[in-house]
Amino acid sequence: MAKLHDLFTQARRTQNSGGMGFLGKNKAESKARSAALVVEFTTISAGQAEAAIKAGADGLLFHWNPQNESELTTLKAEIASAQASNDQLVTGLALTGNLEELERATLVQIKEAGIQYIVLPFDAPARLLAVETKELEKVVIVPMRDGEIYPLYIHNLTAFDGIAAVLLDFGLISKVSSMTIEEVLDYRAVREAVRFPAFLPINANLTEEDAYTLATLGAQAVVLKAEKLEKTVEQIKAVRDLLIKIHEDEKEKDTPSVPGLNRK
């Protein structure tokens, strides 16, 4: 099942309120957004995942070092708690070390903990892309590097099987609102070269100017790194509101008047 596809597409559709049947859960209406909102947790603490989902996050991304196998039990309980608030929850795991020793059995354990996708660094062993694990998709981190031929080089990533999406590690968080059209073009060239659906990290204090600039990069999901719980809840709500506003503005855009111009 392509859970990441669901994460990306459902964010751009309005979800009606109401439940199904006498036992159906009543859900508040969810407005369409320009991108899905994923909250990233570098540590695993009780209650944080459920709070993020209730605040409006579409998905969760946890960090995990395969050496700490016992943490999977804690993670499984945290995910189950969050799923009580959203049974369509999509969760990911960024693997942070000891990847050379990672085996298929560990990937199976990850899936059984409730994880739908893993995030692999650019220098992860290539064999991991070929390891088939049902219902566990793979996301590769794509860094930004200088050089005119870099977009051509990174385009070769599309030849690999087993990749469902990419995470664009462009380092834009601190400078996005001041970027020029020329600078955005450099990043857009890499974005277009990889073609896969993309996650893009964002600043916790995302401004409206930042959000409009990021929208030009065409990411399907933004990743907000969690801080203290109360502050993170406020940031989730603020970012979600911005994503809704951008989507509504996109729908109201005029079609370019240049004859013969066909934009997809």
Side-chain angles (χ1 to χ4, degrees):
M1 296 177 66
K3 287 293 185 179
L4 282 177
H5 178 267
D6 293 342
L7 174 69
F8 299 144
T9 57
Q10 288 177 9
R12 297 187 68 87
R13 296 199 300 263
T14 298
Q15 305 293 317
N16 294 326
S17 60
M20 295 180 63
F22 292 107
L23 300 179
K25 295 180 181 178
N26 289 320
K27 297 180 180 179
E29 182 179 73
S30 177
K31 292 184 178 181
R33 285 89 64 206
S34 60
L37 173 56
V38 175
V39 177
E40 178 182 12
F41 295 100
T42 56
T43 58
I44 303 171
S45 301
Q48 59 183 5
E50 184 178 3
I53 293 301
K54 287 182 176 179
D58 299 300
L60 305 173
L61 176 61
F62 297 94
H63 284 214
W64 182 65
N65 188 316
Q67 276 191 328
N68 302 325
E69 189 172 330
S70 61
E71 282 190 354
L72 282 181
T73 302
T74 304
L75 182 59
K76 184 175 183 178
E78 189 69 1
I79 292 172
S81 176
Q83 285 176 331
S85 298
N86 181 1
D87 54 10
Q88 300 299 316
L89 174 65
V90 179
T91 55
L93 199 62
L95 302 179
T96 61
N98 299 294
L99 299 183
E100 295 78 9
E101 302 175 6
L102 195 64
E103 299 178 351
R104 185 179 183 281
T106 306
L107 297 181
V108 172
Q109 288 179 303
I110 290 172
K111 179 182 74 70
E112 292 175 345
I115 297 295
Q116 282 96 24
Y117 67 95
I118 57 174
V119 178
L120 300 171
F122 206 44
D123 59 356
R127 64 175 175 81
L128 295 177
L129 296 179
V131 177
E132 180 61 32
T133 305
K134 189 177 181 181
E135 297 181 2
L136 186 66
E137 298 179 281
K138 301 180 182 77
V139 177
V140 173
I141 297 175
V142 173
M144 183 67 187
R145 293 178 180 171
D146 295 330
E148 293 182 2
I149 67 169
Y150 185 60
L152 296 175
Y153 163 76
I154 203 66
H155 175 70
N156 292 314
L157 198 64
T158 62
F160 288 97
D161 293 327
I163 299 177
V166 292
L167 191 156
L168 303 175
D169 186 16
F170 282 0
L172 298 176
I173 288 178
S174 62
K175 63 178 182 179
V176 62
S177 62
S178 62
M179 291 177 68
T180 64
I181 294 174
E182 181 178 4
E183 289 172 325
V184 170
L185 279 175
D186 290 335
Y187 291 94
R188 184 76 192 199
V190 177
R191 171 71 192 97
E192 292 293 336
V194 292
R195 296 187 181 178
F196 296 108
F199 294 83
L200 187 67
I202 60 171
N203 194 325
N205 299 312
L206 189 72
T207 66
E208 188 170 326
E209 291 77 11
D210 293 336
Y212 280 111
T213 304
L214 291 174
T216 65
L217 293 176
Q220 282 68 43
V222 296
V223 182
L224 174 69
K225 184 170 288 188
E227 301 180 22
K228 290 184 178 180
L229 188 56
E230 287 187 8
K231 188 172 183 179
T232 298
V233 166
E234 293 177 359
Q235 290 167 344
I236 291 170
K237 294 177 180 178
V239 170
R240 188 180 177 91
D241 287 345
L242 275 177
L243 295 176
I244 291 172
K245 177 175 173 37
I246 291 173
H247 181 72
E248 291 174 345
D249 287 352
E250 285 176 345
K251 291 192 299 183
E252 294 176 0
K253 283 182 180 178
D254 291 334
T255 302
S257 58
V258 179
L261 184 58
N262 181 21
R263 292 175 180 246
K264 296 183 178 179

